[in-house]
């Protein structure tokens, strides 16, 4: 039984998968934040253009 626990403690394959998952989640959060910022700025630009064309 102790050999099973020792082998389980040395196994790092699960840790690698978790690290990749955390990296992917971080990238997704950064992408979402950037898209929201760009979308807000782009919407303001389009509203300014629409106001200029309407005036």
């Amino acid at each position: 039984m102790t050999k099973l626990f020792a082998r389980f403690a040395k196994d790092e394959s699960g840790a690698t998968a978790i690290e990749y998952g955390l990296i992917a989640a971080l990238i997704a959060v950064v992408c979402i934040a950037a898209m929201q910022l760009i979308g807000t700025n782009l919407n303001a630009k389009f509203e300014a253009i629409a106001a200029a064309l309407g005036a």
Side-chain angles (χ1 to χ4, degrees):
M1 191 63 138
T2 58
K3 288 183 181 182
L4 177 66
F5 287 124
R7 192 175 67 197
F8 179 73
K10 289 182 182 180
D11 186 18
E12 295 183 5
S13 62
T16 304
I18 291 172
E19 290 169 357
Y20 284 136
L22 290 173
I23 291 170
L26 180 63
I27 290 171
V29 167
V30 169
C31 287
I32 290 170
M35 287 180 197
Q36 285 182 341
L37 181 64
I38 290 171
T40 303
N41 291 340
L42 191 60
N43 190 24
K45 291 286 185 189
F46 279 133
E47 287 177 1
I49 291 171
L53 290 175

